């Protein structure tokens, strides 16, 4: 795994504007970067792909175990009044669209799971679409060796999956929703809507704040249409605690992502994986903080519901070496053995490994000068060169 400098495309900002990539720069800082790319061999990509497939299947075994146990549902902080709703989503095998596993991988040692973004993974548009356009342009410009490829069938698999949801799962009109004033989330949802359209699945967009409640307890859109199928870029841990959560079970909505994803998008997943699959080569030792974990010199403290690195702390040799503030932590924390991200120059790099349904099919790389990856960490494209 190498980081290779390359000239930027002179017109990439115009292309970003043309393709609706409005969040390539955020708060005056670059988010999309193409002054370099990450280079992998095919064997390294196969290692990532195999680890992703196996870890995903292990995560599904965790769901099976948690839904069968009141004690574990409590430990995962699933509100008691939503247990039947979450369990039913799993027992009826409500279909999933996508997930992203965040991995530490240096190209030599086995990839290690940091967390599972199983519910509201972002950076999809950049990974599936914009880095592919970059690859095609740089090949045409002769700046990449002929035969250079990319581990990326994300768009094709997304369209195929939306087709399956329509043809095999009977999805009709699919509503898409995200919060207002989130440019990145709106861009991600617009991209997914485009993929659904390509698959022949009709859709409509509304903001989460615009969802209403009809007289019969059904959720409705701004035209007062009943919502039967809804993709929401909005976390289950919020939804399960809001006033509407008492209506979820009877609303008759098929959710993307389904409610069982609330179990594996939760950091409580990590200690349970370690307990069920001890010493697995793709796992790091992890424990619930209040279960008196064994002493570790180097570890990371993570709240169960943390997002974008918020409230994460790194401790090395008994001293805190990095932390990010934020609103999480009251729900409980886990500790995970610290595994440093590979460092290139003055930046640390994490791999987001994507699955559509149950199939690994692409990666996106983020780098940051800080040891903890956050929402504004830079996105870099990658290539496969053997």
């Amino acid at each position: 795994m190498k980081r290779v400098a390359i000239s930027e495309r002179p017109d990439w900002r115009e292309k970003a504007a043309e393709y609706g990539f409005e969040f390539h720069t955020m708060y005056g800082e670059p988010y999309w970067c193409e002054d370099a790319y990450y280079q992998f061999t095919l064997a390294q990509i196969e290692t990532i792909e195999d680890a992703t497939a196996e870890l995903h299947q292990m995560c599904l075994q965790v769901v099976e175990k948690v839904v069968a146990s009141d004690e574990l549902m409590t430990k995962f902080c699933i509100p008691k009044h939503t247990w039947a709703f979450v369990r039913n989503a799993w027992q009826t095998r409500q279909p999933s669209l996508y997930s992203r596993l965040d991995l530490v991988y240096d190209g030599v040692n086995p990839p290690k799971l940091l967390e599972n973004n199983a519910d509201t993974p972002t950076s999809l548009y950049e990974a599936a679409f914009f880095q592919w356009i970059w690859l095609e342009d740089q090949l045409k410009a002769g700046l990449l060796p002929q035969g250079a490829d990319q581990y990326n069938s994300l768009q094709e698999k997304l369209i195929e999956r939306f087709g399956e949801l329509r043809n095999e799962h009977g999805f009709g009109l699919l509503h898409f929703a995200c919060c207002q004033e989130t440019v990145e989330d709106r861009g991600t949802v617009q991209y997914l809507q485009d993929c659904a359209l390509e698959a022949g699945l009709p859709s409509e967009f509304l903001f989460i704040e615009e969802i209403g409640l009809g007289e019969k307890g059904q959720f409705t859109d701004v035209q007062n249409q009943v919502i039967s199928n809804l993709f929401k870029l909005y976390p289950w841990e919020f939804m399960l605690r809001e006033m509407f959560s008492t209506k979820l079970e009877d609303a008759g909505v098929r959710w993307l992502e389904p409610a069982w994803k609330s179990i594996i998008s939760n950091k409580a997943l990590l200690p349970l994986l370690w307990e069920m699959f001890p010493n697995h080569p793709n796992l790091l030792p992890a424990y619930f903080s209040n279960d008196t974990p064994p002493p570790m010199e180097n570890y990371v403290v993570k709240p169960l519901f943390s997002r974008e690195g918020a409230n994460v702390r790194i401790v090395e040799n008994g001293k805190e070496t990095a932390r990010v503030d934020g609103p999480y932590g009251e729900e409980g924390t886990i500790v995970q053995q610290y595994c440093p991200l590979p460092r290139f120059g003055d930046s640390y790099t994490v791999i987001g490994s994507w699955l559509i349904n149950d199939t690994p099919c692409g990666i996106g790389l983020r780098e940051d000068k800080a040891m903890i990856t956050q929402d504004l960490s830079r996105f870099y494209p990658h290539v496969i060169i053997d």
Side-chain angles (χ1 to χ4, degrees), residues 8 12-13 23-35 367 376-380:
E8 294 186 354
W12 78 259
R13 286 172 182 81
F23 52 97
H24 63 73
T25 303
M26 290 196 271
Y27 310 105
E29 291 292 322
Y31 166 64
W32 168 268
C33 292
E34 55 175 77
D35 56 337
E367 68 170 47
L376 299 181
S377 300
R378 300 176 300 280
F379 189 102
Y380 275 87

Side-chain angles (χ1 to χ4, degrees), residues 309-378:
N311 301 97
V312 170
R313 296 189 300 118
I314 297 175
V315 175
E316 296 179 86
N317 301 315
K319 291 186 180 168
E320 185 175 284
T321 54
R323 77 177 297 151
V324 175
D325 292 328
Y328 303 101
E330 281 181 22
E331 71 279 10
T333 58
I334 62 113
V335 292
Q336 183 183 46
Q337 187 182 77
Y338 177 50
C339 181
L341 294 172
R343 190 170 179 176
F344 296 86
D346 60 354
S347 292
Y348 300 88
T349 303
V350 68
I351 294 175
S353 185
W354 288 91
L355 300 110
I356 302 303
N357 190 14
D358 297 318
T359 307
C361 55
I363 55 171
L365 288 98
R366 308 278 300 279
E367 68 170 47
D368 204 301
K369 291 191 168 143
M371 291 192 285
I372 299 169
T373 308
Q374 297 171 62
D375 59 340
L376 299 181
S377 300
R378 300 176 300 280

Side-chain angles (χ1 to χ4, degrees), residues 20 22 38 45 94 263:
E22 292 176 18
Y38 282 87
I45 291 296
Q94 290 296 302
I263 293 170

Side-chain angles (χ1 to χ4, degrees), residues 8-24:
E8 294 186 354
R9 295 168 293 170
D11 61 346
W12 78 259
R13 286 172 182 81
E14 289 76 10
K15 283 207 165 174
E18 179 192 339
Y19 290 125
F21 188 5
E22 292 176 18
F23 52 97
H24 63 73

Side-chain angles (χ1 to χ4, degrees), residues 73-378:
M73 292 286 272
T74 304
K75 215 158 189 175
F76 274 63
C77 292
I78 310 290
K80 193 168 184 178
H81 71 279
T82 67
W83 284 1
F85 172 68
V86 172
R87 283 171 166 151
N88 183 60
W90 176 250
Q91 285 152 0
T92 57
R93 294 300 188 268
Q94 290 296 302
S96 159
L97 180 64
Y98 68 155
S99 297
R100 191 190 79 230
L101 303 185
D102 284 351
L103 305 174
V104 184
Y105 183 54
D106 58 6
V108 180
N109 296 295
K112 302 280 189 186
L113 177 68
L114 290 177
E115 61 183 66
N116 187 349
N117 296 277
D119 180 23
T120 56
T122 48
S123 74
L124 179 67
Y125 170 87
E126 310 85 287
F129 181 74
F130 207 69
Q131 72 167 339
W132 184 260
I133 299 291
W134 167 88
L135 176 77
E136 289 182 330
D137 287 348
Q138 297 293 46
L139 279 168
K140 274 184 210 151
L143 292 176
L144 290 170
Q146 283 308 308
D149 201 356
Q150 195 173 85
Y151 176 41
N152 187 1
S153 59
L154 271 160
Q155 181 162 301
E156 173 193 324
K157 295 279 196 309
L158 278 166
I159 294 166
E160 195 179 294
R161 183 60 175 155
F162 279 121
E164 288 169 5
L165 292 173
R166 189 191 70 174
N167 300 328
E168 294 168 28
H169 295 276
F171 273 57
L173 178 67
L174 176 58
H175 282 80
F176 284 83
C178 67
C179 290
Q180 287 171 333
E181 294 165 19
T182 50
V183 179
E184 185 186 356
D185 287 4
R186 184 69 189 94
T188 301
V189 169
Q190 182 60 60
Y191 173 65
L192 282 165
Q193 236 185 311
D194 291 346
C195 290
L197 182 66
E198 190 80 17
L201 188 58
S203 67
E204 288 197 13
F205 175 81
L206 76 166
F207 290 110
I208 286 281
E209 294 87 346
E210 294 175 327
I211 295 174
L213 191 64
E215 288 174 15
K216 296 179 182 172
Q218 295 160 309
F219 293 125
T220 54
D221 67 12
V222 287
Q223 281 87 35
N224 230 18
Q225 283 186 103
V226 170
I227 296 172
S228 301
N229 307 292
L230 179 64
F231 172 90
K232 63 4 145 264
L233 201 62
Y234 189 66
W236 274 117
E237 67 263 22
F238 295 175
M239 286 179 67
L240 297 181
R241 283 163 177 73
E242 288 171 359
M243 193 170 66
F244 277 166
S245 63
T246 55
K247 308 294 183 189
L248 288 167
E249 198 172 354
D250 299 322
V253 177
R254 278 191 297 189
W255 300 90
L256 290 173
E257 291 300 298
W260 56 263
K261 287 291 193 83
S262 62
I263 293 170
I264 51 173
S265 59
N266 182 322
K267 306 296 186 301
L269 166 75
L270 301 166
L272 210 64
L273 278 171
W274 186 249
E275 182 188 305
M276 290 169 69
F277 306 97
N279 302 310
H280 189 283
N282 301 123
L283 294 177
L284 293 164
Y287 307 91
F288 288 99
S289 298
N290 56 10
D291 282 355
T292 323
M296 286 188 276
E297 282 196 350
N298 304 311
Y299 59 91
V300 185
V301 181
K302 297 179 177 182
L304 301 192
F305 296 153
S306 169
R307 292 176 171 273
E308 316 286 13
N311 301 97
V312 170
R313 296 189 300 118
I314 297 175
V315 175
E316 296 179 86
N317 301 315
K319 291 186 180 168
E320 185 175 284
T321 54
R323 77 177 297 151
V324 175
D325 292 328
Y328 303 101
E330 281 181 22
E331 71 279 10
T333 58
I334 62 113
V335 292
Q336 183 183 46
Q337 187 182 77
Y338 177 50
C339 181
L341 294 172
R343 190 170 179 176
F344 296 86
D346 60 354
S347 292
Y348 300 88
T349 303
V350 68
I351 294 175
S353 185
W354 288 91
L355 300 110
I356 302 303
N357 190 14
D358 297 318
T359 307
C361 55
I363 55 171
L365 288 98
R366 308 278 300 279
E367 68 170 47
D368 204 301
K369 291 191 168 143
M371 291 192 285
I372 299 169
T373 308
Q374 297 171 62
D375 59 340
L376 299 181
S377 300
R378 300 176 300 280

